[in-house]
Amino acid sequence: MPKRPYDLPPLSALSSFEAAARHESFKSAAQELNVTPAAISHQVKALEAELGQQLFHRHQRGVELSETGQMLQLTLQRGFEQISNVVTQLRQDSQTRAVTIGATTAVSSLWLTPRLARFWKRHGNIAVTQNVSDTDHAQTGCNLSIHYGDMTRDNGDCRPLFRDRIAALASPAFAAENPTETLANLAHLPLIHLNATDERWTDWRTWCTALDYDGPIGEGLRVNNYTIALQAAQDDMGVVLGWNALTAPLVQSGALVRLLPQDITAPLDFYIKTHASANERALLLRDWLLKETP
């Protein structure tokens, strides 16, 4: 057998001895290591046989470290403490190297996550964590965050991802049952309204007004989550406003279709913000996402 670089007894024996020495009890060491006291006793006896030294004095009341055992215990404790410190540092470094990016549920599920899947195929060594929130989040602890709004009113390093367009979408079955040629026709259909806490999201009245229609608009379903609104539309429940960049996979798959050719330009940008905590890996992800924009 090839000679090992370190002339040491088996680590299982050293670990068993260290626990037994620290507790001065084979039973307590066994509970800590989730083995039987007999297993601890066997490991210690094997270690004593290999060293040719007695490590414990055994009494009816228990065990007591010998002078040799005390010397070995002190050495092992110092070694294990150094190993523990290094492992702790490595874990902290790993968390520091991870990238945390904040986004809303809709942006995360419809736009960001598919792109992260492609990013990981090229940069599998970079761990990415998503912080998903549907409020206008401060994104505490994030390295990057994606927002919809006027980035000129934001602080820090903000870069535009895309300015979207908004169209009226429905399921193919709903579209077939409700042929629509004009805005007046569409406005009388069941509409899916998004009761978003963020008032910057374009609603049906704003969309219709931008297309020069000021007549009545239909009621229908009201939800407070854009992902749920899109699912309701796929379930034939009505017409939903679709941000093209977010709904492109649903349109391409045929899950949703346009009811009218008209659309409008979204009034605000989707942009990515770089926070002060961003490291080189975060900047790499940011630059990659900027290239992946529609």
Side-chain angles (χ1 to χ4, degrees):
M1 293 180 61
K3 185 177 180 180
R4 292 182 298 180
Y6 303 104
D7 187 16
L8 294 174
L11 292 179
S12 58
L14 294 175
S15 177
S16 295
F17 165 77
E18 190 278 332
R22 181 161 29 87
H23 291 288
E24 290 193 333
S25 167
F26 287 4
K27 181 178 179 181
S28 297
Q31 291 174 344
E32 177 183 315
L33 299 179
N34 197 28
V35 296
T36 65
I40 296 292
S41 178
H42 175 77
Q43 291 282 4
V44 171
K45 287 180 179 178
L47 182 59
E48 288 176 326
E50 179 169 343
L51 298 177
Q53 299 277 352
Q54 186 176 5
L55 301 175
F56 287 99
H57 299 300
R58 293 159 175 83
H59 310 288
Q60 288 184 346
R61 298 185 304 273
V63 294
E64 180 184 355
L65 279 169
S66 66
E67 184 176 346
T68 302
Q70 292 175 1
M71 180 176 64
L72 180 59
Q73 180 198 25
L74 179 61
T75 301
L76 287 176
Q77 283 182 336
R78 289 174 177 171
F80 286 163
E81 285 175 358
Q82 290 180 342
I83 294 172
S84 177
N85 291 338
V86 171
V87 169
T88 298
Q89 184 62 51
L90 290 175
R91 286 171 176 162
Q92 292 174 346
D93 289 346
S94 176
Q95 293 174 354
T96 301
R97 287 196 300 268
V99 178
T100 301
I101 182 168
T104 63
T105 303
V107 171
S108 172
S109 61
L110 299 170
W111 190 86
L112 179 58
T113 298
R115 284 163 174 77
L116 287 180
R118 295 197 291 272
F119 177 78
W120 283 328
K121 289 181 180 179
R122 298 186 59 181
H123 305 282
N125 62 314
I126 299 179
V128 180
T129 300
Q130 290 194 59
N131 184 0
V132 180
S133 172
D134 287 327
T135 62
D136 190 13
H137 34 66
Q139 297 300 350
T140 302
C142 287
N143 309 123
L144 306 168
S145 56
I146 297 175
H147 302 264
Y148 176 68
D150 183 356
M151 69 177 183
T152 63
R153 301 173 65 88
D154 205 338
N155 297 320
D157 184 349
C158 300
R159 307 189 185 196
L161 286 169
F162 54 89
R163 175 69 67 93
D164 215 346
R165 298 191 66 81
I166 308 170
L169 304 178
S171 69
F174 185 95
E177 294 176 2
N178 300 277
T180 305
E181 297 181 356
T182 66
L183 280 170
N185 295 148
L186 182 144
H188 287 87
L189 295 175
L191 303 180
I192 301 172
H193 298 266
L194 180 64
N195 291 340
T197 55
D198 188 345
E199 296 180 354
R200 293 170 297 186
W201 284 92
T202 299
D203 59 15
W204 274 109
R205 173 54 65 194
T206 304
W207 188 83
C208 289
T209 300
L211 292 172
D212 299 323
Y213 174 80
D214 294 322
I217 60 175
E219 286 296 324
L221 178 67
R222 290 186 176 271
V223 297
N224 64 355
N225 183 284
Y226 188 55
T227 305
I228 299 300
L230 292 176
Q231 186 58 56
Q234 294 175 74
D235 292 336
D236 311 327
M237 297 182 68
V239 190
V240 70
L241 287 174
W243 273 253
N244 289 355
L246 301 184
T247 59
L250 298 175
V251 173
Q252 292 168 1
S253 69
L256 293 175
V257 296
R258 281 196 179 201
L259 285 190
L260 289 173
Q262 295 98 320
D263 61 15
I264 69 169
T265 301
L268 299 168
D269 286 311
F270 285 93
Y271 64 93
I272 188 166
K273 181 174 182 177
T274 305
H275 295 258
S277 61
N279 52 26
E280 291 183 1
R281 296 184 173 208
L283 298 182
L284 176 63
L285 173 59
R286 180 201 64 188
D287 294 343
W288 192 88
L289 288 173
L290 287 170
K291 295 177 182 178
E292 282 283 303
T293 54

